[in-house]
Amino acid sequence: MKPNFSLRLRLFNLNFWGIPYLSKHRADRIKRLGDFLNVESFDLVLLEEVWSEQDFQYLRQKLSPTYPAAHYFRSGVIGSGLCVFSKHPIQELTQHVYSLNGYPYMIHHGDWFCGKAVGLLVLHLSGLVLNTYVTHLHAEYNRQKDIYLAHRVAQAWELAQFIHHTSKNADVVLLCGDLNMHPEDLGCCLLKEWTGLRDAYLETRDFKGCEEGNTMVPQNCYVTQQELEPFPFGIRIDYVLYKTISGFYMSCKTLETTTGHDPHRGTPLSDHEALMATLYVRHSAPQQNPSPIHRPAERSLLISVLREAWTELGLGMAQARWWATFSGYVIGLGLLLLALLCILAAGGGAWEAAILLWTPSVGLVLGGGAVYLFHMQEAKGLYRAQAELQHVLGRAREAQDLGLEPQPAPLLGQQEGDRAEEQ
Amino acid sequence: MKPNFSLRLRLFNLNFWGIPYLSKHRADRIKRLGDFLNVESFDLVLLEEVWSEQDFQYLRQKLSPTYPAAHYFRSGVIGSGLCVFSKHPIQELTQHVYSLNGYPYMIHHGDWFCGKAVGLLVLHLSGLVLNTYVTHLHAEYNRQKDIYLAHRVAQAWELAQFIHHTSKNADVVLLCGDLNMHPEDLGCCLLKEWTGLRDAYLETRDFKGCEEGNTMVPQNCYVTQQELEPFPFGIRIDYVLYKTISGFYMSCKTLETTTGHDPHRGTPLSDHEALMATLYVRHSAPQQNPSPIHRPAERSLLISVLREAWTELGLGMAQARWWATFSGYVIGLGLLLLALLCILAAGGGAWEAAILLWTPSVGLVLGGGAVYLFHMQEAKGLYRAQAELQHVLGRAREAQDLGLEPQPAPLLGQQEGDRAEEQ
């Protein structure tokens, strides 16, 4: 590696809004997207909401001369909607599907059927190991009464843990995607505080695009204006986040968003705005290397975010258990009705009533049973995330008691007295 | 670290067979297990099939003086059944739930409800990073006609990938658990070939216990003798596997199994035999370090195992798609019946027939719908694993074309010409 080593990376991220039969002008948009990506020749293209595998195959074929490597992350009933195109060979890839992702009976929202996930691809560039993650979290349908908040916080925690545990020998970590969270939202803070990832919009020296870096804006003709009413300038829910592990320094030279039109001023490529970032990786001067020990304000922010997430997951668990109990009563009611019907039928009376009530009774038992099982599994999933947070908080408290700095897990253990058996 | 550094680790692994109301003498067995573990004072205790969280809490309380750290891995409707007790502080922990784990309608087998998973705990001992994994894969109910084979192979692949991606900065990797696979089974070979994990039973210098290292033996009074009929000496499905990443050498000094009785010759602790291993980690002499480049026979074994797994997943996918198509026809039939009933009812005739057939028609549509969704998701999960295998095989072929050695992913990329943008 040369002493004046510098690696330039150009990224493109877009939530493509590719719902077959529902998303407007899908065929035209994907054609224009392919043309644009071929002309621009980014290093990495990360897409979300490419729900149809045919769309991915179309892009793969169209982009193969410029982006020889591509992958579609499959999961759930419909898929994760995630795919990547790379100019460089993909050395390794894997994915993690989130344990919690909404409710199957919220069919009109549909997230549960998608198998939301995080995809990982490992690239080796100029001797550097580059872990790139692409993800799409559960949508927010009602900010005032967000019934999916606990699930999104749990997803953010799983995402943070997945990045934390799979990037330990990476030199560079990149995360792109639609987090469906505003920058100040709990899940977003949890993710950034736990992984140490930095927000390209806040770090860049040169930003061009929508006001406040927003990625869903009222100027976009595909956006439902009503949904953005409380936010006249739009919202920022798509991100490019990055960090280097050690010995390197990463900077975002430019960050650009589309502005409600396609990059050539036509109709937009999607209802979301695309993000285009130019990042540089360089050897770090000592003062540029982020300190492994957080400053006191940062430390207390981490602890407070962990605590807040713990509480939110607890509220979600209480709700899940309430639903499990409620559906338990529904099953009981269904069984009672069935028993009554059997008695009526055995007595030879009210045959018609028995036949009429047969379907709703069986429906109550089976429906209640399915809802019960679902919410039991939901409670277990939330409890799992809460227990992991509890463990991290416990380690932080132990470190504090020993007079050490509470810090993210990668560093927690290193300052603990290891009680090993050495013989 | 001293030059004559040596770390001794004593492990205990047991599939506890702790099904509430069904497993015999559960309360007595867990009491005796707790007493035994307290007396023996292992470094790490890894248990599977602790299905009741109350049992875990009982053990946690009983073992807390000897094993201050403990964790229960929660997932699915019932749980993963996995838990750990450690004499040393657990620095970090997380888990991965397998995407595929049997069929919800196979209620009598029940695996689907369990949320089978792999748990990871990171320990720091004498300056070494020790990643310990505990897992339990889908059971094998019929070896001659194993309908869960593709799921178990997919689980083995997910397990191997999880270990591969999360252990990159670990010095020592341990995997304990009930793999529900015989040593020569495809999934077992895939796991060992891809991760490089070595089998303590094959490596140990001193083995005591059941013939051929078996962990389910006919001498055990809780074992259904009929199931073991084709295997007069029993089967080996529980494992201690290990590896060191670099600079260290690990050896298994002793491995012991119980022999159908508890260690003090009473009734057994479970229907499985416990595994007790004493492992040593030392600085490696150069000749002791496993070569990063596999020998030709090993290389071709890896490629052939990857290919075989790819084929098996393909067969599973075909089966899943067949079921999805079949359930599609069932939905169609249900809709047809419903339409006919509506016509009959509207015509004012055959009311009784319409009412009687209402339930089965709705049942066909809803049941068929659920089965369709399940198998679509199954096909996606198998395709996902197959695509990952395909990618690894593709990398291996590229390496071969370039005259390089085909080798597991950790090494594949290092020998590839990185085409990076350096400016």
Side-chain angles (χ1 to χ4, degrees), chain B residues 110-168:
Chain B
D111 293 62
W112 185 84
F113 296 89
C114 299
K116 297 274 174 80
V118 46
L120 160 62
L121 51 153
V122 181
L123 306 182
H124 292 178
L125 296 182
S126 306
L128 295 188
V129 176
L130 198 130
N131 275 28
T132 305
Y133 300 84
V134 58
T135 196
H136 184 196
L137 303 194
H138 197 293
E140 185 185 71
Y141 296 96
N142 184 339
R143 197 160 172 82
Q144 276 66 50
K145 202 184 167 193
D146 183 8
I147 55 166
Y148 302 113
L149 180 56
H151 284 213
R152 212 178 302 101
V153 171
Q155 288 187 343
W157 176 248
E158 277 190 37
L159 171 60
Q161 283 277 73
F162 182 72
I163 294 173
H164 172 70
H165 286 281
T166 55
S167 66
K168 289 190 174 177

Side-chain angles (χ1 to χ4, degrees), chain A residues 35-334:
Chain A
D35 292 338
F36 175 73
L37 293 176
N38 268 334
V39 169
E40 287 290 325
S41 186
F42 294 96
D43 290 289
L44 269 172
V45 172
L46 304 121
L47 302 178
E48 301 93 50
E49 286 211 30
V50 179
W51 297 120
S52 148
E53 190 154 347
Q54 279 72 40
D55 285 351
F56 166 73
Q57 296 300 351
Y58 168 82
L59 277 178
R60 177 183 212 150
Q61 205 167 12
K62 188 166 181 136
L63 300 180
S64 65
T66 324
Y67 306 88
H71 188 71
Y72 190 63
F73 294 96
R74 292 164 190 92
S75 74
V77 179
I78 296 168
S80 70
L82 307 172
C83 62
V84 290
F85 299 91
S86 169
K87 205 193 272 182
H88 313 283
I90 299 171
Q91 301 297 335
E92 300 181 16
L93 44 83
T94 192
Q95 70 187 56
H96 172 82
V97 182
Y98 300 121
S99 328
L100 296 168
N101 186 37
Y103 305 100
Y105 47 77
M106 301 297 268
I107 296 171
H108 57 301
H109 287 166
D111 293 63
W112 185 84
F113 297 90
C114 299
K116 297 276 174 78
V118 46
L120 159 61
L121 50 152
V122 181
L123 306 181
H124 292 178
L125 297 181
S126 304
L128 294 187
V129 177
L130 197 131
N131 275 26
T132 306
Y133 301 84
V134 57
T135 196
H136 184 196
L137 303 193
H138 197 293
E140 185 185 70
Y141 296 95
N142 184 337
R143 198 162 171 81
Q144 277 65 50
K145 202 184 167 194
D146 183 8
I147 56 166
Y148 303 112
L149 180 57
H151 283 213
R152 213 177 303 101
V153 171
Q155 288 187 343
W157 176 247
E158 277 189 38
L159 171 60
Q161 283 276 73
F162 183 70
I163 294 173
H164 172 71
H165 285 281
T166 55
S167 66
K168 290 190 174 176
N169 82 331
D171 300 302
V172 175
V173 177
L174 288 170
L175 167 62
C176 295
D178 175 2
L179 300 184
N180 271 314
M181 299 187 289
H182 298 209
E184 71 282 5
D185 285 358
L186 175 59
C188 208
C189 297
L190 181 67
L191 172 68
K192 287 192 281 184
E193 289 301 319
W194 184 238
T195 58
L197 285 165
R198 287 144 64 202
D199 187 339
Y201 172 69
L202 301 176
E203 302 282 332
T204 187
R205 287 172 263 172
D206 178 10
F207 175 75
K208 269 188 217 140
C210 298
E211 204 151 345
E212 292 166 9
N214 291 333
T215 57
M216 268 200 116
V217 293
Q219 294 89 314
N220 187 309
C221 62
Y222 296 133
V223 168
T224 316
Q225 301 299 321
Q226 231 175 336
E227 281 174 22
L228 282 189
E229 245 170 32
F231 306 99
F233 299 115
I235 54 176
R236 187 156 79 91
I237 55 175
D238 302 86
Y239 296 84
V240 172
L241 302 166
Y242 62 82
K243 70 170 177 178
T244 47
I245 301 290
S246 69
F248 295 96
Y249 173 75
M250 198 164 186
S251 61
C252 180
K253 199 186 170 201
T254 65
L255 180 72
E256 200 177 331
T257 70
T258 49
T259 53
H261 319 278
D262 95 347
H264 302 123
R265 302 271 138 193
T267 49
L269 289 173
S270 166
D271 62 346
H272 285 241
E273 301 309 316
L275 284 164
M276 289 160 281
T278 307
L279 302 162
Y280 277 86
V281 187
R282 290 191 181 86
H283 278 298
S284 63
Q287 72 278 14
Q288 286 174 317
N289 234 357
S291 164
I293 310 271
H294 282 51
R295 284 189 294 273
E298 285 169 355
R299 262 181 278 131
S300 78
L301 185 60
L302 170 69
I303 301 277
S304 104
V305 165
L306 286 169
R307 278 200 189 120
E308 207 181 323
W310 189 90
T311 308
E312 196 56 56
L313 293 173
L315 292 173
M317 258 169 67
Q319 192 74 6
R321 283 176 179 159
W322 186 91
W323 276 107
T325 311
F326 176 77
S327 45
Y329 286 124
V330 171
I331 298 168
L333 181 68

Side-chain angles (χ1 to χ4, degrees), chain B residues 303 391-401 404 406-407 412:
Chain B
I303 300 278
H391 180 261
V392 172
L393 278 164
R395 301 292 306 155
R397 263 195 298 271
E398 276 174 43
Q400 248 172 345
D401 292 349
L404 299 169
Q407 52 196 259
L412 273 174

